[in-house]
């Protein structure tokens, strides 16, 4: 496995599934200081590892027992890495499962840009 797929596995397993108390430190090890995160309808929503950690925390705290698993990939092409994931947990007491796709651009051993498409598990 090359470095980029290992980086994506860290992105999912250490960052999105990681200890909430350690998110800022984990994020600093996974993304660059000038990292930019793009969500649908929120271009450049996140700048840097601390903002990324805050957004991840906010999303994860909406759920109980939330975990993310890689379903497809990671797939690497040049400086891009992509993957499809599934998240499972409990939302407002009910079982919840949703899927998403990540596309990340890397520079060296850190991700520098992120685009995500994901289902909205909170939509009725």
């Amino acid at each position: 496995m090359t470095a980029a797929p290992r980086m994506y596995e860290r992105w999912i397993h250490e960052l999105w599934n990681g200890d909430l108390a350690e998110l800022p430190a984990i994020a600093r090890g996974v993304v660059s200081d000038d990292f930019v995160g793009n969500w649908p309808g929120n271009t450049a929503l996140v700048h840097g590892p601390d903002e990324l950690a805050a957004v991840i925390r906010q999303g994860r705290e909406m759920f109980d027992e939330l975990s993310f698993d890689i379903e497809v990939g990671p797939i690497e092409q040049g400086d891009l890495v992509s993957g499809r994931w599934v998240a499972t947990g409990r939302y407002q007491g009910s079982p919840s499962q949703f899927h998403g796709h990540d596309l990340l651009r890397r520079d060296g051993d850190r991700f520098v840009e992120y685009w995500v498409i994901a289902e909205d598990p909170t939509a009725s």
Side-chain angles (χ1 to χ4, degrees), residues 30-43:
V30 174
V31 304
S32 67
D33 289 339
D34 60 349
F35 173 85
V36 176
N38 302 284
W39 274 256
N42 288 302
T43 302

Side-chain angles (χ1 to χ4, degrees), residues 69-121:
D69 290 300
I70 300 170
E71 285 192 317
V72 177
I75 300 166
E76 175 184 13
Q77 183 173 346
D79 63 353
L80 299 174
V81 181
S82 64
R84 176 177 167 82
W85 49 262
V86 59
T88 55
R90 300 186 67 74
Y91 178 71
Q92 297 182 341
S94 298
S96 179
Q97 182 179 73
F98 57 102
H99 300 84
H101 297 92
D102 294 335
L103 178 62
L104 295 119
R105 186 171 59 85
R106 71 184 184 100
D107 185 7
D109 65 349
R110 299 263 187 338
F111 289 119
V112 296
E113 196 163 11
Y114 172 56
W115 301 267
V116 62
I117 298 291
E119 299 167 339
D120 181 356

